[in-house]
């Protein structure tokens, strides 16, 4: 009877071993390939003198052995060691589960020997020999057989491994979400340098009555409503970023004295924004600064967004203590709950006497004269914008919930998305089409957040649907806040470059390659900039 049981256990263990080898061998190979790639990346960062000294050695290594191919070769000792090591790691976990700590320790010791040998082979660029591999393979095989003999309950083993895999997946997912949230906090936090600049300028504003008188006098300038001039608008609470947008636009303009900038900010930043633009020279252009809190029409009874932003349930949904991990962390970005971010849908209300205006985000840099935008034929459309559907993920179905009949019955899921950040608005056509009312309608339809989650682009795609004129892509190049590989020729040809993404140019995590494009338009000679920013 015992003999039959023993004979039965042997094929079971063999089947179990084969199953484990097949399942974990793939993970072993993938892991070691990643290790090799990681190792190669570190080699690429060696100092030039070292590279020169070792050039001949590296050439021999590359010609002598491709370690990636070696680890994938079924006949190589590296492959056998990798598979045994992965299987041994699984049995370390199982041995610990059964409180067999001595076996777990023995397996761990052999795993370290195996890792060391593989690492040496990768470093020297030579295959592992039989003499090197045989002692480890033999001893590790013996330990694996011992582990199999001690823990041959396949069902229990599979369940144990699955539970560990599930736990690791959950930890990995939690770590990914957490890192994204931390990155978002870094991106949205006000750097100390910008806070310093804002404080100094606010003090100047509060102490200077003459400065306040000049600002009051300029409110009634006829240039602010002259449709023969070129009007631009920015809605921001970032003084330095707004200054860069204004500077870059004016410096690259053929006729800067014909430019009018309309800036809207919040009550906290209003004084510092006024102090900056009243005390600096902008080549004869006109700068207007307004406080969003002085717009009496922007209230909950007229604007659904105001009501939604004040709603405690909406705020708890995105910022509550118990947040749904299924919500994209970027949607918890404070800018989405900032009224300044939604002000772009109320341009005709803010400037009732204007006929055409160019909207600019505060994270753009202007590189060419933008005044030709005002003579573009929009063919009766309201919004002139650069389409983004050259990238497949920028189509309507990526922003909106097409499983909802309200959306699917009215919109084409394959319609092109377009970029906010540099837009030409025909305000006459806007008023005629009543785009703001369309925006209000869709906000109300999305009160339960089933049509889209958050942000300004999804409702804009709905409100401006059929009313957007595609512009030449060179007017607006995006991605400088997240894409490290934008073609230099594309950047050089762009009229506007956009630092959309988390890596804003005023942050330490900015992409170094693009940062000079933004820094060149900072007024480095200003004493506050020297004290707070460059100092």
């Amino acid at each position: 009877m015992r003999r039959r049981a023993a004979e039965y256990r042997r094929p079971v263990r063999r089947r179990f071993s084969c199953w484990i080898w097949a399942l974990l061998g793939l993970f072993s190979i993938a892991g070691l390939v990643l290790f090799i790639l990681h190792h190669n990346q570190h080699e690429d960062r060696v100092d030039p003198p070292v590279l020169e000294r070792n050039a001949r050695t590296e050439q021999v290594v590359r010609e002598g052995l491709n370690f990636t191919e070696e680890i994938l070769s079924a006949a190589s000792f590296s492959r056998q060691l990798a598979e045994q090591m992965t299987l041994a790691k699984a049995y370390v976990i199982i041995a610990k589960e059964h409180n067999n700590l001595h076996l777990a320790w023995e397996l761990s010791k052999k795993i370290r020997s195996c890792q060391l040998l593989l690492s040496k082979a990768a470093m020297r660029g030579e295959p592992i020999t039989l003499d090197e591999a045989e002692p480890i393979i033999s001893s590790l095989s013996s330990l694996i057989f011992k582990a199999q003999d001690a823990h041959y309950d396949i069902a229990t083993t599979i369940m144990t491994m699955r539970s560990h895999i599930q736990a690791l997946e959950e930890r990995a997912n939690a770590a990914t979400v957490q890192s994204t949230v931390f990155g978002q906090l870094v991106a949205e936090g006000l750097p100390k340098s910008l806070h310093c600049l804002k404080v100094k300028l606010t003090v100047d504003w509060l102490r200077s009555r003459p400065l306040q008188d000049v600002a009051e006098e300029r409110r009634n300038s006829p240039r602010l409503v002259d449709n023969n001039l070129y009007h631009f608008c920015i809605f921001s609470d970032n003084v330095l970023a707004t200054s860069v947008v204004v500077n870059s636009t004016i410096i690259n303009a053929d006729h800067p004295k014909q430019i009018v900038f309309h800036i809207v900010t919040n009550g906290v930043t209003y004084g510092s924004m006024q102090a900056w633009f009243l005390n600096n020279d902008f080549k004869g252009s006109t700068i207007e600064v307004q406080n969003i809190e002085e717009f009496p029409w922007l209230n909950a009874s007229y604007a659904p967004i105001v009501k939604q932003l004040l709603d405690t349930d909406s705020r708890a949904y995105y910022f509550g203590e118990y947040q749904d991990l299924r919500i994209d962390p970027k949607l918890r970005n404070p800018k989405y709950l900032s009224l300044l971010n939604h002000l772009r849908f109320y341009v005709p209300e803010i400037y009732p006497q204007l006929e055409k205006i160019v909207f600019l985000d505060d994270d753009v840099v202007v590189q060419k004269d933008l005044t030709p935008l005002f003579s573009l034929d929009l063919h009766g459309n309201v919004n002139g914008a650069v389409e983004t559907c050259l990238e497949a993920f920028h189509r309507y179905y990526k922003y909106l919930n097409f499983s909802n009949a309200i959306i699917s019955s009215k919109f084409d899921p394959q319609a092109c998305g377009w970029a906010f950040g540099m837009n030409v608005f025909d305000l006459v056509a806007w008023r005629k089409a009543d785009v703001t009312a369309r925006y209000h309608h869709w906000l109300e339809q999305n009160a339960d957040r089933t049509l889209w989650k958050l942000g300004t682009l999804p409702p804009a795609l709905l409100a401006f649907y059929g009313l957007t004129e595609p512009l030449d892509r060179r007017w607006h190049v995006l991605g400088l806040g997240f894409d490290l590989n934008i073609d230099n020729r594309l950047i050089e040809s762009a009229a506007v470059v956009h630092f959309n993404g988390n890596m804003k140019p005023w942050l330490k995590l900015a992409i170094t390659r693009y940062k000079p494009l933004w820094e060149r338009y900072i007024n480095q000679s200003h004493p506050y900039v020297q004290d707070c920013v460059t100092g």
Side-chain angles (χ1 to χ4, degrees), residues 134-428:
E134 187 176 20
I136 297 178
I137 290 175
S138 177
S139 58
L140 202 50
S141 296
S142 176
L143 283 172
I144 289 171
F145 183 82
K146 183 179 178 181
Q148 289 176 340
D149 194 53
H151 310 294
Y152 58 82
D153 185 344
I154 298 176
T156 302
T157 302
I158 291 173
M159 291 301 295
T160 301
M161 292 181 66
R162 281 180 176 173
S163 66
H164 281 288
I165 291 170
Q166 185 177 357
L168 287 170
E169 287 177 347
E170 290 174 356
R171 288 171 60 186
N173 290 336
T176 301
V177 170
Q178 191 176 47
S179 65
T180 306
V181 171
F182 286 161
Q184 198 66 56
L185 288 172
V186 171
E188 292 305 316
L190 183 67
K192 183 179 178 181
S193 58
L194 298 188
H195 179 71
C196 165
L197 180 65
K198 183 185 286 189
V199 169
K200 286 178 178 288
L201 290 168
T202 301
V203 170
D204 284 354
W205 170 255
L206 295 174
R207 287 180 176 176
S208 178
R209 184 62 196 178
L211 205 61
Q212 297 177 31
D213 291 340
V214 172
E216 188 65 31
E217 182 181 335
R218 291 189 180 181
R219 280 177 179 248
N220 301 315
S221 171
R223 290 173 59 85
L224 299 177
V225 294
D226 187 347
N227 283 297
N228 293 314
L229 302 177
Y230 304 111
H231 296 266
F232 297 83
C233 63
I234 309 173
F235 309 135
S236 172
D237 60 355
N238 187 325
V239 178
L240 192 63
T242 304
S243 173
V244 168
V245 178
V246 173
N247 277 343
S248 61
T249 304
I250 291 169
I251 288 172
N252 290 294
D254 292 341
H255 305 287
K257 291 184 179 180
Q258 296 182 31
I259 287 178
V260 180
F261 262 99
H262 303 268
I263 300 167
V264 181
T265 189
N266 56 28
V268 175
T269 315
Y270 177 73
S272 58
M273 200 77 81
Q274 283 282 25
W276 179 269
F277 286 101
L278 288 171
N279 282 325
N280 287 282
D281 176 51
F282 296 96
K283 295 189 174 183
S285 61
T286 300
I287 315 289
E288 175 194 34
V289 179
Q290 292 178 276
N291 185 349
I292 191 174
E293 296 172 10
E294 295 180 1
F295 297 154
W297 48 267
L298 194 60
N299 53 60
S301 62
Y302 172 67
I305 188 62
V306 177
K307 183 179 180 180
Q308 290 181 17
L309 293 181
L310 294 174
D311 181 61
T312 53
D313 290 340
S314 294
R315 300 186 74 85
Y317 178 75
Y318 296 104
F319 296 95
E321 182 180 355
Y322 304 104
Q323 295 174 350
D324 188 344
L325 292 179
R326 291 172 297 178
I327 302 171
D328 191 333
K330 74 179 182 180
L331 296 181
R332 299 180 190 132
N333 189 326
K335 78 174 185 178
Y336 291 125
L337 290 185
S338 166
L339 198 53
L340 281 173
N341 196 48
H342 295 266
L343 209 58
R344 61 193 71 191
F345 294 102
Y346 299 97
V347 176
E349 282 85 348
I350 304 170
Y351 313 110
Q353 294 174 278
L354 295 184
E355 296 174 355
K356 187 172 281 190
I357 198 166
V358 171
F359 165 78
L360 296 172
D361 262 338
D362 65 359
D363 56 353
V364 306
V365 172
V366 177
Q367 301 187 131
K368 300 185 186 301
D369 182 23
L370 295 187
T371 56
L373 286 169
F374 291 84
S375 58
L376 288 179
D377 185 359
L378 298 183
H379 301 98
N381 287 310
V382 176
N383 172 33
V386 169
E387 290 184 332
T388 54
C389 59
L390 290 174
E391 297 83 9
F393 52 89
H394 283 150
R395 295 187 181 272
Y396 270 48
Y397 72 91
K398 286 294 183 180
Y399 299 99
L400 303 164
N401 178 17
F402 273 87
S403 65
N404 191 301
I406 298 175
I407 296 294
S408 59
S409 63
K410 297 180 181 295
F411 302 96
D412 177 8
Q414 294 296 329
C416 269
W418 44 267
F420 251 147
M422 195 292 297
N423 304 80
V424 188
F425 291 137
D426 184 332
L427 300 183
V428 176

